[in-house]
Amino acid sequence: MLLGVLCILVVPQVFSEAPPAPPQDIQVDNWLLRWSPDPDHGNVTYTAQYSSFDSDVWTDVPYCVHTSLNSCNVSSIKARSVYGCVMLRVQAERHGQKSPSVQACSTHGDLCTPDFILTASPGSLTVHLSRNTTFLRKKADHAKYRVYYGKKGEALQGYKDGPASVTIDELQEGQRYCTRVQYLYFTRTEGLPTCTQCALIPESDSRRTVSLVLVGGVLLLVFPVIAYFLLFQRWRFKRWLQPRYTFPEHLPEPLPEPRLPVPSSTEEHYDVITSMSPE
Ligand SMILES: *[C@@H]1O[C@H](CO)[C@@H](O)[C@H](O)[C@H]1NC(C)=O
Ligand SMILES: *[C@@H]1O[C@H](CO)[C@@H](O)[C@H](O)[C@H]1NC(C)=O
Ligand SMILES: *[C@@H]1O[C@H](CO)[C@@H](O)[C@H](O)[C@H]1NC(C)=O
């Protein structure tokens, strides 16, 4: 009994203290970190963290701890990133409950983030990447690119590595695909990934021709059928189009004498019935 009362009192409390939604669209542009806030709730604060190139330890970015703003100047970690690339992530918090952390992406290429141009052709995407960047020159043979890809709206789970431009084949035509690129050093990704870019995979000429032939074929089949019906089966159409009258088996009982004034149409109806009654 007591347990039941306790449950009723405590359970709603637990539910009201659910962690906040994770921040969305976390982007870095020239050391300014920005994110979209949770639109539904107040009292949410955000904390940015960075991790250095050589460790998995995440450290709070100075001046970016428990801020209620949607942005934070992270230039204080610039000095720390001189010797290597840093990663950044942001976490939301409300009343001590923390959301999962979400990684930031970089809107522009820099020392630690690649620059790329995306082009789409029938069935494939090409991510154009330079072979001559500061990162690749510094790390010599052990560095390359990792290109993540996936259908728009899905997690970018597939990836392909390469020392320069990468082409991803066997993509579904007419679908939108997205990519994100990050530097890879030995087997470890380094620095901020690029923000996601998406492109529509165009349909190939041969596929378009096949579609046209199919549509043409269907029309060729359908036209003679319609023509036949119009020419020789016109009476059938007429019969189908005619309204069908069925007389009710039992006529409705005569309406009780109206007590209120009724519209004229009903009066006429009433007159007809009285004229038929035997006198
Ligand atoms: C924020 O929290 C305070 C106390 O914890 C509460 O009084 C206030 O209503 C909350 N505001 C919002 C918008 O949830
Ligand atoms: C960030 O802070 C640094 C140093 O305090 C300053 O030089 C820079 O202009 C700031 N950047 C932005 C975008 O406010
Ligand atoms: C690579 O880029 C650097 C600086 O942008 C340039 O000086 C150098 O000539 C380039 N090397 C090649 C092989 O293109």
Side-chain angles (χ1 to χ4, degrees):
M1 176 67 188
L2 189 65
L3 196 70
V5 171
L6 270 180
C7 277
I8 289 167
L9 287 177
V10 169
V11 165
Q13 292 266 318
V14 170
F15 275 109
S16 71
E17 292 298 312
Q24 306 282 317
D25 297 325
I26 307 172
Q27 304 196 342
V28 190
D29 185 2
N30 199 18
W31 301 103
L32 184 65
L33 183 63
R34 265 192 257 242
W35 55 89
S36 305
D38 183 347
D40 303 329
H41 297 96
N43 282 343
V44 178
T45 63
Y46 300 91
T47 297
Q49 296 184 312
Y50 72 95
S51 108
S52 303
F53 61 102
D54 57 352
S55 82
D56 285 320
V57 180
W58 290 90
T59 313
D60 290 349
V61 178
Y63 316 117
C64 298
V65 180
H66 289 142
T67 174
S68 51
L69 305 174
N70 311 329
S71 65
C72 181
N73 186 338
V74 295
S75 59
S76 61
I77 60 165
K78 207 170 177 174
R80 275 164 247 236
S81 66
V82 168
Y83 305 106
C85 299
V86 293
M87 311 257 220
L88 277 164
R89 66 181 195 183
V90 180
Q91 187 173 46
E93 186 174 340
R94 183 173 55 228
H95 303 147
Q97 299 278 324
K98 293 175 177 175
S99 78
S101 296
V102 183
Q103 257 212 47
C105 66
S106 178
T107 55
H108 291 112
D110 60 24
L111 266 182
C112 294
T113 301
D115 241 337
F116 73 101
I117 294 170
L118 192 61
T119 58
S121 47
S124 72
L125 267 184
T126 301
V127 180
H128 300 271
L129 294 156
S130 169
R131 197 189 278 274
N132 184 20
T133 69
T134 314
F135 187 91
L136 294 183
R137 282 198 307 270
K138 240 174 31 182
K139 312 266 170 154
D141 296 333
H142 305 299
K144 50 188 169 183
Y145 295 104
R146 173 157 291 178
V147 174
Y148 296 91
Y149 64 94
K151 271 190 200 165
K152 191 177 166 90
E154 296 175 5
L156 307 187
Q157 269 166 346
Y159 65 81
K160 200 169 169 182
D161 299 339
S165 296
V166 166
T167 296
I168 302 148
D169 295 311
E170 291 176 22
L171 300 181
Q172 241 174 298
E173 295 179 4
Q175 288 279 338
R176 211 164 257 283
Y177 281 84
C178 300
T179 60
R180 187 173 67 218
V181 189
Q182 198 167 14
Y183 277 122
L184 194 66
Y185 185 48
F186 286 97
T187 56
R188 197 187 152 96
T189 50
E190 267 208 39
L192 292 172
T194 65
C195 292
T196 304
Q197 278 187 35
C198 304
L200 179 71
I201 309 296
E203 293 199 351
S204 59
D205 283 346
S206 64
R207 207 176 120 147
R208 216 174 305 148
T209 313
V210 168
S211 313
L212 280 178
V213 166
L214 274 179
V215 169
V218 167
L219 288 179
L220 277 179
L221 277 177
V222 166
F223 269 132
V225 173
I226 292 175
Y228 167 77
F229 268 94
L230 282 180
L231 286 175
F232 302 110
Q233 305 283 334
R234 215 179 296 173
W235 59 275
R236 260 187 220 272
F237 271 116
K238 281 191 182 154
R239 221 174 65 177
W240 287 338
L241 293 176
Q242 260 167 15
R244 285 177 199 193
Y245 290 114
T246 50
F247 290 97
E249 279 177 36
H250 306 286
L251 285 169
E253 304 226 336
L255 287 168
E257 201 171 319
R259 286 176 194 166
L260 292 166
V262 286
S264 60
S265 65
T266 319
E267 266 167 28
E268 278 164 25
H269 180 65
Y270 182 75
D271 286 348
V272 172
I273 290 175
T274 50
S275 75
M276 278 170 70
S277 60
E279 299 217 324

